[in-house]
Amino acid sequence: MKTCVFFLCIAFLQRSMAQEATTLNAGMERLKLEFVLDRSGTPNYAVYFNQKQIVKPSALGFALSDDSTFYKDFELLGSEKKTVDETWKPVWGEVNQIRNNYEELTVHLKHKGVASRYLDIVFRVFADGVGFRYVFPNQAALKYFIVTDEFTHFNLTGDHKAFWIPGDYDTNEYPYTTSKLSEVDAWKLAATATDIAVRVAPDQYAVQTPLMMKTNDGLYINIHEAALSGYPAMQLHVDRSASSLSSSLVPDAVGSKAFLHAPFKTPWRTIIVSDKATHILASRLILNLNEPSVIQDPSWIKPMKFVGVWWEMQIGKSTWRYSEYADSTDANGKLIPNGKHGATTENVKRYIDFAAKNGIGGVLVEGWNTGWEDWFGNWKEDVFDFVTPYPDFNLKEITAYAASKNVKMIMHNETSGSATNYERQMDTAFRFMNKFGYTSVKTGYVGKIIPRGEHHDGQWMVNHYERVAKKGVEYKVMVDMHEPPRPTGMQRTYPNWLACEAGRGNEYNAFSKGNSPEHETIMPFTRLMGGPMDYTPGIFKLKNYSPEDPTRQVHTTLVKQMALYITMYSPVQMVSDLLENYEAKPDAFQFIKDVPVDWDDSKILEAEPGDYITIARKEKGKDNWFIGAITDENARTTNIPLDFLDKGKKYIAVVYADGDKADWKDNPESYKIQKLKVDAKTKLNLKLAPGGGAAISIMPGN
């Protein structure tokens, strides 16, 4: 009897060990993924780069409102693998075609909990990283359900250097902190960031994605998500003692994370890995994980540069509002003008003339419509109607004038955070754009969100932003959204969704302590990983521009502002400064006139997060190349080979460089311009001042 029991125990142990040892894997070049169920039936994955572990075995799963254990007690029903190697062409972008090459592993799991429920996990392994998502298939025991938590873990191999901002439910506009993961303290930064209007950061140890990290042995790791649709944005809770990260979903007004209906696919969780920082910036993994374009004929989508009635309000020279207060009315009940309103017919015509003269495609006007007297800080639902101009903004006259100059007017729809009001009036607003020839719109969501209790990054608002993009498709209007969650590559699916803000832009130099010199060397590794940013570069007057505070200044040199048109990629780039500041420096302004916003190719020549970036881009449909180089607070000298140019062809390079004594703090507007004959054998010696840069145009010629 004892012998029989002994052999039964041995057999059970062997079966248990065999189950634990059963490993599924997928790989592509130097990347490898392993999947296994542990003894408790918990799904786990691990990631390897060049045979070195990058992510240690990490658990996956959920807590549902009716089943808090939907992360364990799974059994493996089966799996399948496939390899995909295809090429697709984006409507616009940094390159004219993208290779989508991966090995996919799909794991089919059955849960043994409350009922027989099923969960699939799909892994895609690329040469530069891994993406994985959860799939709730169509099933009898799981129809409508509520996610109360997602238990996706990223167990790292060390206390990595990280570039992070707090995990805030309502804003991504913090300055970046560089520290070890063990030093993350979101509350410390959130408490001091008083220049941000709405801050909700309840987890002291949560950070936002994209999270950029560097290991002690020189590997670069970026964690983000792709194809955020129908689901809340993911933040990361940092276990500071274990060097472990776990998903933290933004909740809704009643504290739940997501209301779902099977079948449903979550966004992809992404891990991009390389031993070269340049490869991180060159990755197309996030775009590849998004669905193809829903637009059959995208010919109406036109990337462009634009000027606008905007910076003058940011620095306090003029105002968005027509009157000082909503109740500042005369005896006839009409608003009393404050004399500082920026969106006047005369002023807008001045911008239209400038755009036409300098080959700039569009003009944005903020503050054109009624409602700005009490638009912010009151949590008011019905602020704007999106169709009624102020008395000094002659809509028909401006429309006709812009058309006569072949300049496109850009609509501005600020919602004051009231998404409910915008939803009710969205068709009216987009029909209005069609009627008056507005082919693009900049939307805004400054303030607390209505529906009250919802957050900018929660499921309700994620759905709202996608509805706006779809409305743009319906009416053939391009969209630039401000104050949304950070992008996740959805511009592939909706190529009319040109750009977002969703980060700390150049505007913070207008009304706060500004952005540090290293800020723009971090953002391409963080905020821009998921998609283009409307950063609003191009400020030429870098000191003494604020009537409200003469001590404010932009923390870059003038040439670095020019280089940002290359390093901070966007298909819509604002020419942001006051017109007279460009007219005062026409030789430097020539680069902004020349630089395009759509590209056939991009070469990341050198990069180090927080230190420097140099990028070369080839203009769409032409043989012109443009180079942007930027540095942090440290001066830098670099030699850039031009071996990406066509062999045997001659070019003329115009080098816009920092002046010999340029410095972001004391001498930011010093610059010099040099013309050179170059070819593919040339090496350019670039000297970047502290907080400086270099901007170069290279065009065929002898």
Side-chain angles (χ1 to χ4, degrees):
M1 182 65 180
K2 290 182 179 180
T3 302
C4 181
V5 170
F6 173 76
F7 282 112
L8 284 172
C9 290
I10 290 293
F12 176 78
L13 181 60
Q14 287 175 336
R15 285 197 300 271
S16 298
M17 293 177 65
Q19 179 180 339
E20 290 182 39
T22 301
T23 300
L24 304 174
N25 61 72
M28 184 66 64
E29 297 182 9
R30 294 190 290 175
L31 260 292
K32 180 184 176 184
L33 174 130
E34 289 183 349
F35 172 86
V36 67
L37 284 180
D38 66 17
R39 182 178 296 179
S40 67
T42 300
N44 280 263
Y45 76 100
V47 178
Y48 299 81
F49 175 79
N50 209 20
Q51 300 183 327
K52 182 173 184 177
Q53 197 170 62
I54 301 302
V55 178
K56 298 187 292 186
S58 301
L60 303 168
F62 295 89
L64 308 180
S65 60
D66 65 348
D67 186 356
S68 62
T69 65
F70 207 67
Y71 62 90
K72 64 180 181 178
D73 296 326
F74 283 100
E75 60 177 302
L76 180 63
L77 296 182
S79 65
E80 62 259 1
K81 291 170 69 173
K82 68 176 181 179
T83 300
V84 171
D85 192 355
E86 61 187 10
T87 300
W88 60 279
K89 290 183 175 293
V91 174
W92 47 262
E94 298 176 82
V95 293
N96 62 12
Q97 64 179 19
I98 294 174
R99 185 184 183 191
N100 186 25
N101 183 204
Y102 59 86
E103 184 169 64
E104 180 177 283
L105 168 67
T106 300
V107 178
H108 302 287
L109 303 173
K110 180 181 179 182
H111 191 238
K112 298 179 288 185
V114 175
S116 293
R117 292 176 168 177
Y118 301 92
L119 177 69
D120 295 343
I121 306 176
V122 182
F123 299 92
R124 289 183 182 175
V125 184
F126 299 80
D128 58 354
V130 173
F132 60 90
R133 76 183 334 172
Y134 303 95
V135 177
F136 296 91
N138 192 16
Q139 54 192 292
L142 192 64
K143 293 290 188 182
Y144 296 91
F145 60 101
I146 302 171
V147 172
T148 56
D149 269 307
E150 179 189 316
F151 298 128
T152 299
H153 290 79
F154 306 85
N155 296 331
L156 305 172
T157 59
D159 187 13
H160 303 330
K161 178 181 179 180
F163 303 84
W164 60 273
I165 58 175
D168 193 298
Y169 294 169
D170 282 295
T171 182
N172 302 282
E173 298 184 8
Y174 289 94
Y176 281 89
T177 297
T178 304
S179 74
K180 294 288 189 181
L181 285 170
S182 61
E183 297 168 351
V184 165
D185 186 343
W187 286 356
K188 183 177 180 181
L189 184 54
T192 59
T194 55
D195 52 0
I196 301 174
V198 179
R199 308 187 304 283
V200 179
D203 184 348
Q204 185 174 2
Y205 305 115
V207 298
Q208 190 60 274
T209 71
L211 175 64
M212 185 67 206
M213 295 174 288
K214 186 178 181 181
T215 70
N216 287 335
D217 51 357
L219 291 181
Y220 300 88
I221 304 171
N222 186 281
I223 296 178
H224 189 31
E225 60 180 322
L228 175 60
S229 177
Y231 202 74
M234 178 183 72
Q235 300 176 353
L236 298 171
H237 173 79
V238 182
D239 184 333
R240 304 197 307 175
S241 62
S243 298
S244 177
L245 311 172
S246 56
S247 59
S248 177
L249 304 180
V250 175
D252 65 11
V254 296
S256 298
K257 304 302 171 57
F259 286 77
L260 303 179
H261 179 204
F264 183 82
K265 300 175 181 178
T266 71
W268 298 88
R269 281 62 187 99
T270 63
I271 307 168
I272 300 173
V273 185
S274 182
D275 51 6
K276 293 182 173 60
T278 53
H279 291 178
I280 300 293
L281 297 184
S283 176
R284 307 290 176 241
L285 181 150
I286 289 172
L287 274 177
N288 278 326
L289 288 170
N290 277 265
E291 295 299 315
S293 173
V294 299
I295 300 173
Q296 297 298 316
D297 177 11
S299 59
W300 53 274
I301 299 173
K302 307 288 187 184
M304 72 168 73
K305 286 177 288 188
F306 64 98
V307 292
V309 183
W310 175 79
W311 184 249
E312 62 181 76
M313 281 97 87
Q314 295 288 349
I315 63 176
K317 180 182 177 183
S318 65
T319 64
W320 284 271
R321 62 188 182 275
Y322 174 79
S323 185
E324 283 305 298
Y325 306 102
D327 55 0
S328 297
T329 57
D330 61 19
N332 297 315
K334 294 183 178 181
L335 288 171
I336 300 172
N338 61 15
K340 293 185 65 179
H341 185 223
T344 68
T345 302
E346 182 181 359
N347 195 29
V348 172
K349 282 185 174 181
R350 195 167 62 90
Y351 281 85
I352 293 171
D353 287 340
F354 182 87
K357 177 183 175 181
N358 293 286
I360 295 170
V363 173
L364 167 74
V365 182
E366 297 195 7
W368 70 275
N369 58 323
T370 57
W372 289 90
E373 286 73 22
D374 67 348
W375 75 285
F376 174 73
N378 302 311
W379 218 0
K380 180 179 176 181
E381 184 164 15
D382 298 318
V383 178
F384 300 109
D385 69 7
F386 313 104
V387 296
T388 304
Y390 278 120
D392 58 352
F393 184 86
N394 190 317
L395 181 64
K396 291 183 178 179
E397 183 178 343
I398 288 169
T399 300
Y401 192 76
S404 73
K405 300 280 186 172
N406 198 28
V407 170
K408 294 292 185 183
M409 296 301 297
I410 299 173
M411 177 54 65
H412 184 236
N413 284 172
E414 175 57 56
T415 68
S416 190
S418 181
T420 50
N421 183 42
Y422 197 44
E423 294 249 353
R424 286 192 295 270
Q425 302 191 62
M426 208 184 302
D427 279 294
T428 300
F430 277 80
R431 282 195 298 265
F432 183 85
M433 294 177 218
N434 283 175
K435 178 180 178 180
F436 289 98
Y438 286 82
T439 58
S440 57
V441 59
K442 173 183 175 180
T443 62
Y445 297 84
V446 177
K448 296 180 181 179
I449 291 296
I450 301 175
R452 295 180 180 92
E454 297 292 344
H455 296 286
H456 287 77
D457 288 9
Q459 182 189 25
W460 198 96
M461 284 303 294
V462 167
N463 291 339
H464 168 80
Y465 298 122
E466 188 171 357
R467 284 194 289 270
V468 175
K470 289 178 178 178
K471 194 64 67 175
V473 174
E474 181 182 346
Y475 287 92
K476 294 188 176 180
V477 172
M478 297 170 282
V479 182
D480 170 15
M481 296 189 195
H482 280 228
E483 293 86 33
R486 64 286 178 280
T488 60
M490 292 284 284
Q491 67 271 19
R492 180 185 179 187
T493 308
Y494 303 103
N496 66 310
W497 194 345
L498 293 180
C500 293
E501 184 188 39
R504 191 178 180 90
N506 222 6
E507 67 183 17
Y508 274 83
N509 291 302
F511 55 77
S512 74
K513 64 183 180 181
N515 302 331
S516 68
E518 72 171 6
H519 184 67
E520 294 92 351
T521 68
I522 296 174
M523 292 203 81
F525 288 96
T526 51
R527 160 62 186 81
L528 273 77
M529 288 298 296
M533 181 177 182
D534 184 10
Y535 188 72
T536 64
I539 304 301
F540 271 22
K541 189 171 180 59
L542 302 165
K543 301 180 76 170
N544 301 315
Y545 51 80
S546 173
E548 299 174 347
D549 185 352
T551 66
R552 287 179 185 153
Q553 69 176 100
V554 180
H555 298 176
T556 72
T557 65
L558 184 147
V559 176
K560 184 174 181 179
Q561 285 289 314
M562 297 157 62
L564 295 177
Y565 286 92
I566 305 296
T567 62
M568 299 286 286
Y569 168 67
S570 178
V572 283
Q573 291 280 26
M574 189 172 194
V575 183
S576 304
D577 207 347
L578 305 183
L579 307 183
E580 54 265 33
N581 294 332
Y582 295 129
E583 291 168 337
K585 296 181 173 66
D587 54 349
F589 185 60
Q590 186 63 45
F591 179 82
I592 295 180
K593 290 171 62 175
D594 290 339
V595 68
V597 292
D598 200 9
W599 309 98
D600 271 338
D601 199 7
S602 294
K603 307 289 186 185
I604 316 299
L605 303 180
E606 57 178 359
E608 181 63 29
D611 292 336
Y612 57 85
I613 296 174
T614 302
I615 300 176
R617 302 192 193 273
K618 187 179 183 184
E619 183 174 358
K620 178 68 70 69
K622 296 185 179 180
D623 291 330
N624 303 328
W625 284 83
F626 294 81
I627 299 175
I630 63 172
T631 186
D632 59 3
E633 70 279 4
N634 299 305
R636 175 174 168 76
T637 299
T638 183
N639 287 288
I640 301 298
L642 303 184
D643 52 5
F644 51 83
L645 298 176
D646 290 343
K647 304 298 185 289
K649 182 179 280 190
K650 300 295 184 182
Y651 297 82
I652 300 296
V654 182
V655 180
Y656 301 81
D658 291 319
D660 293 336
K661 295 183 179 180
D663 181 281
W664 74 265
K665 189 174 184 180
D666 299 319
N667 192 21
E669 294 180 19
S670 175
Y671 65 92
K672 56 186 179 181
I673 303 172
Q674 182 182 15
K675 283 190 177 182
L676 302 170
K677 293 182 178 181
V678 300
D679 58 27
K681 298 178 182 178
T682 304
K683 287 188 177 181
L684 291 179
N685 182 267
L686 305 178
K687 294 183 179 180
L688 282 56
I696 304 163
S697 63
I698 304 175
M699 302 180 184
N702 294 315

